[in-house]
């Protein structure tokens, strides 16, 4: 989220004649928040957007934040070693609520490794996965490295991680996370969409060039 806060703090949105409020989506899926009109833009992820489009939600990806998929499946090393996709077979998987897509990706990885079988799906919703792993309620979950991967390192948790970008022959190396908006926003206010993307891109470019300053800006916004 750094680029958003940098664009806000440095006046890039103001220069584009935009008044932007940055707010958490809460317990509602971002795709639904955007298509309902509660927010005009949001940060989502490609597999979630694909599921939303298939379900008929008029949501559109308008920009990629990262050019490679930096998510993956993780276990606690001491409890369930995970060295290759075949090791996933039989594990209890903590699902975030997109079981069709999650199982499809997991099964594709397992099959690509020449193994048969699948995982046991357990819906954990928005619960933190690592405490559930420590209490032996689930064995494996899907994390975005920049959030939970780094958080695990900070907590001193030893993880085994299968990064999806390392298995591009099994699962496409798709863009994620992504910025999204609604079809209605694109149709009715294309100049606002264009201005928002351009100003936000300036924020991300600035964050890449000056990461320490960007981190300070984020910490000031959310201590």
């Amino acid at each position: 989220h750094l680029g958003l806060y940098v664009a806000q703090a440095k006046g890039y949105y103001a220069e584009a004649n935009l008044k932007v409020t940055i707010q958490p989506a809460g317990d509602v899926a971002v795709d639904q928040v955007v298509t309902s009109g509660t927010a005009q833009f949001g940060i989502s992820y490609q597999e979630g957007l694909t599921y939303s489009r298939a379900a008929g939600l008029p949501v559109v990806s308008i920009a990629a934040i990262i050019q490679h998929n930096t998510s993956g499946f993780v276990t606690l090393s001491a409890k369930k070693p995970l060295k290759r996709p075949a090791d996933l077979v039989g594990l209890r998987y903590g699902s975030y609520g997109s079981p069709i897509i999650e199982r499809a990706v997991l099964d594709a990885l397992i099959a690509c490794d020449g193994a048969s079988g699948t995982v046991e799906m357990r819906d954990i919703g928005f619960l933190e996965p690592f405490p559930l792993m420590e209490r032996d309620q689930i064995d494996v979950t899907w994390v975005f490295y920049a959030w939970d991967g780094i958080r695990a390192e900070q907590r001193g948790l030893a993880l085994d991680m299968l990064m999806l970008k390392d298995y591009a022959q099994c699962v496409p190396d798709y863009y994620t996370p992504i910025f999204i908006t609604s079809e209605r926003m694109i149709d009715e206010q294309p100049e606002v969409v264009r201005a928002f993307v351009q100003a936000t891109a300036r924020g991300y470019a600035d964050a890449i060039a000056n990461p320490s300053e960007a981190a300070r800006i984020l910490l000031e916004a959310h201590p």
Side-chain angles (χ1 to χ4, degrees), residues 53-77:
R53 291 289 303 186
L57 282 181
V59 61
V60 181
S61 169
I62 53 174
I65 297 175
I66 298 176
Q67 282 68 48
H68 294 282
N69 187 342
T70 55
S71 71
F73 296 100
V74 299
T75 63
L76 298 182
S77 302

Side-chain angles (χ1 to χ4, degrees), residues 32-51:
Q32 294 176 348
V33 173
V34 168
T35 54
S36 71
T38 304
Q40 287 71 47
F41 304 97
I43 291 180
S44 185
Y45 52 102
Q46 187 60 54
E47 59 271 26
L49 179 130
T50 301
Y51 188 75

Side-chain angles (χ1 to χ4, degrees), residues 52-112:
S52 294
R53 291 289 303 186
L57 282 181
V59 61
V60 181
S61 169
I62 53 174
I65 297 175
I66 298 176
Q67 282 68 48
H68 294 282
N69 187 342
T70 55
S71 71
F73 296 100
V74 299
T75 63
L76 298 182
S77 302
K79 290 182 176 288
K80 296 290 180 180
L82 183 63
K83 304 304 179 186
R84 53 187 292 182
D87 296 334
L88 291 164
V89 174
L91 297 186
R92 296 166 298 174
Y93 171 72
S95 168
Y96 293 105
S98 297
I100 295 175
I101 291 175
E102 291 169 284
R103 182 178 289 284
V105 173
L106 285 159
D107 288 349
L109 282 176
I110 291 169
C112 194

Side-chain angles (χ1 to χ4, degrees), residues 14 65 82 110 114 116 128 169-170 176 196 213:
I65 297 175
L82 183 63
I110 291 169
S116 59
E128 292 287 340
Q169 74 278 16
C170 309
T176 191
F196 175 80
E213 180 189 31

